[in-house]
Amino acid sequence: MLHNKNIMGRNFIKLLADLRFAIIILLLIASFSIIGTIIEQNQSTEVYQLNYPLETPIWGFLSWKLILFFGFDHIYTTPWFLVLILILGFSLITCTILQQLPSFKISKRCQFFRTPGQFKRLKIKNKISNKFLSNFIFKLNHLKYSIFQQQEIIYSYKGLIGRVAPILVHGSLILILIGAILGSLGGFNSQELISKSQSFTIQNIINRGQFTKIPNITTRVNDFWITYTKQTTVNQFYSDLSFLDNSGKEVKHKIISVNHPLIYKDITFYQTDWDLSGIRLKLNSNLILQYPLVLGTNNPKTKVWVTWVPFTNDSSDGVVVLVNNLHGYISIYDKSGQFLNNLQVNENINLENPIGLIDIITLTGLQIKADPGITIIYTGFGFLMISTLISYVTYSQIWVILNKNEIFIGGNTNRAKFDFELEFQKILNKKRL
C-alpha cells in the first residue's frame, strides 16, 4: 500500500513538472482571463440581470444566473481562479527543480567524448591533422571558449549564461503569480466624488480582496479646477490634496492630475473624473442659498447641469440655470426657455430679483487603489525581460579527440546553428586569426 502511494506521489510530481501540463493550465488561465475582459467585472446584480437576461441569454446559454454562480462577475478573485494560479506556480517550481536546475548543472560539467564513434551523432564535425592542434586551441581561446583537457581528449564550451535563461523565465513567472495572488487577496479599489474643502476617508469600495484591510487615511481636497484648450475643450483636471494625521495636521501635500497620480503609504490616488453638485446664489442682495445641480444629459462629451431657482414660495415663477463648463459662469433662462444672460462668479444682475453668483460647487473624482503585489509583479517582469535578452546567448560545445595523426573535431549548439557553422569553419581554418 505504501509502495503504491509512493508511486502515485512520484507520478503526480512528474505530472506537475511536465511542460505540457503547465501549458494546459496556462491556457485555462488565459481563457478565463479573456472571459473576464468580455464580461463586466465587479458590477451590481442589477447590471447583469439587465445585460444577460434569462429569457434571451447571450450565445444561447450565458445568463446572469450562470455568471453569478461561477463567479464570472469577479473572475480574478474567485477561489478556483486563484487555485489555477497556484497549480501553475507549483508546476513551474517543480519543473525548475527537477528539470531546469539539473540541466544547468549538467551544462557546467566536463562532458568529454572518449571515442571517435561518439562524433557520429553530431551534424557538425570534421578531421584535421594533429600538427594544427596548437593553432586550434589558440582559436578556441580567442573565441572565449572555456577549455578542459584530459590527456588526448578536449572539451570546450561558451555561452553558459544562456542556459540560465529558462530558470530565470520560470522564476520570473513565479514572482508574477505571487504578486497577482497578493494583489487579489490584499488589494482594493475605491471611487470617491468629493467637493473641494471637504475631508474624507476611503469608504466607497468597488472591490476588495478577502484579506484586505482598508487604511484609515484622512484626505482633504483643498481645490479642484479644469484647464481648457483654445478650442474650449477640456485639457486637464487638477486636484489639490492634503493628507492629515489624527490631530488634523497636514503631513503631505500634492497636486495631482490625469496620468500624474500620487502614492501615499503604498496607496495610489488617481485623478479620474469630475462633477458639479450645486451653486451658491445671493438673492435680494442679502439671502445666500445653495441649489443642487442635476446632470441634464448622459453624453460625457457635452455635460450640462441644470437647476431651478424659484422667485416665489410656491415655485411657480423663477429661472432655469445651466452650467456646462468650469469657466466660472452660469447661463440663465426664463421658464419658457428664453436666454436671459450669463452670470460670472462674484457678479450680480437684476432680473425680477437681484441675483449674484457666489460659487459653483465642484466635485473631483478620485480613484484610490492599493495592490500589495505590484512591486513583486514589476520585479518579475524585469527579470523576464533580462531572461529574454540572456536567451539570445547561444550555448555552444566543441569536442576534440587526438587519434594518432588525426584530430576528430565536432560541435553542437542550441540555437543560431548557421552562425555556429561559420564559427566552426573559422576554427578549422589553418590560418591564425
Side-chain angles (χ1 to χ4, degrees), residues 356-368:
L357 177 59
I358 304 299
D359 192 16
I360 300 174
I361 304 170
T362 58
L363 298 173
T364 178
L366 301 176
Q367 185 180 32
I368 305 169

Side-chain angles (χ1 to χ4, degrees), residues 99-124:
Q99 296 185 21
Q100 299 298 337
L101 287 176
S103 176
F104 177 70
K105 291 179 180 179
I106 292 173
S107 299
K108 293 171 62 178
R109 296 174 184 171
C110 296
Q111 305 171 47
F112 291 103
F113 278 8
R114 301 190 179 278
T115 62
Q118 292 179 278
F119 286 88
K120 292 180 179 180
R121 66 187 186 189
L122 299 177
K123 292 183 179 180
I124 302 174

Side-chain angles (χ1 to χ4, degrees), residues 110-359:
C110 296
Q111 305 171 47
F112 291 103
F113 278 8
R114 301 190 179 278
T115 62
Q118 292 179 278
F119 286 88
K120 292 180 179 180
R121 66 187 186 189
L122 299 177
K123 292 183 179 180
I124 302 174
K125 54 185 178 290
N126 210 326
K127 290 188 294 185
I128 63 173
S129 174
N130 61 5
K131 65 181 180 179
F132 299 109
L133 180 61
S134 60
N135 185 33
F136 173 77
I137 295 176
F138 171 79
K139 290 180 179 180
L140 285 178
N141 185 60
H142 182 80
L143 294 171
K144 302 189 183 307
Y145 276 84
S146 298
I147 304 171
F148 305 89
Q149 183 173 4
Q150 286 184 358
Q151 296 180 351
E152 296 182 344
I153 56 177
I154 296 174
Y155 170 68
S156 61
Y157 68 82
K158 73 172 183 178
L160 183 62
I161 192 173
R163 304 293 288 177
V164 180
I167 299 174
L168 277 180
V169 169
H170 285 198
S172 303
L173 293 175
I174 291 168
L175 284 177
I176 293 170
L177 294 176
I178 291 173
I181 291 174
L182 288 177
S184 177
L185 296 178
F188 73 87
N189 188 4
S190 171
Q191 189 75 40
E192 308 286 349
L193 273 173
I194 310 297
S195 63
K196 61 183 180 181
S197 302
Q198 181 180 349
S199 298
F200 70 96
T201 56
I202 302 171
Q203 295 180 349
N204 186 27
I205 308 298
I206 298 175
N207 59 72
R208 59 185 294 175
Q210 290 89 332
F211 302 105
T212 299
K213 183 178 179 181
I214 305 300
N216 185 22
I217 296 177
T218 302
T219 310
R220 183 178 65 229
V221 178
N222 302 313
D223 199 3
F224 171 74
W225 67 94
I226 297 177
T227 58
Y228 293 87
T229 64
K230 294 180 180 180
Q231 292 75 28
T232 70
T233 59
V234 173
N235 179 43
Q236 184 62 280
F237 311 144
Y238 296 92
S239 290
D240 187 332
L241 303 180
S242 292
F243 296 91
L244 313 176
D245 59 17
N246 294 332
S247 62
K249 183 180 178 181
E250 182 181 85
V251 294
K252 188 176 180 66
H253 170 262
K254 186 175 180 180
I255 296 174
I256 68 171
S257 58
V258 177
N259 296 326
H260 295 88
L262 161 68
I263 299 177
Y264 178 70
K265 292 185 176 181
D266 297 325
I267 299 174
T268 307
F269 292 74
Y270 297 92
Q271 179 71 62
T272 56
D273 201 0
W274 66 285
D275 201 353
L276 299 180
S277 64
I279 56 173
R280 291 192 183 98
L281 300 176
K282 180 186 287 187
L283 301 180
N284 300 321
S285 301
N286 55 10
L287 183 62
I288 297 178
L289 296 175
Q290 180 170 313
Y291 296 92
L293 288 172
V294 178
L295 189 62
T297 175
N298 292 324
N299 189 345
K301 294 184 179 180
T302 57
K303 286 186 175 182
V304 177
W305 290 263
V306 63
T307 191
W308 170 256
V309 179
F311 290 155
T312 60
N313 292 332
D314 60 359
S315 299
S316 60
D317 190 22
V319 292
V320 177
V321 174
L322 266 64
V323 186
N324 62 0
N325 57 59
L326 282 185
H327 287 305
Y329 69 88
I330 60 176
S331 300
I332 301 176
Y333 298 78
D334 63 18
K335 60 183 179 181
S336 64
Q338 184 70 31
F339 175 73
L340 299 177
N341 210 333
N342 288 327
L343 181 61
Q344 294 184 348
V345 174
N346 298 324
E347 185 181 25
N348 298 283
I349 60 172
N350 288 315
L351 299 174
E352 296 182 13
N353 296 287
I355 297 179
L357 177 59
I358 304 299
D359 192 16

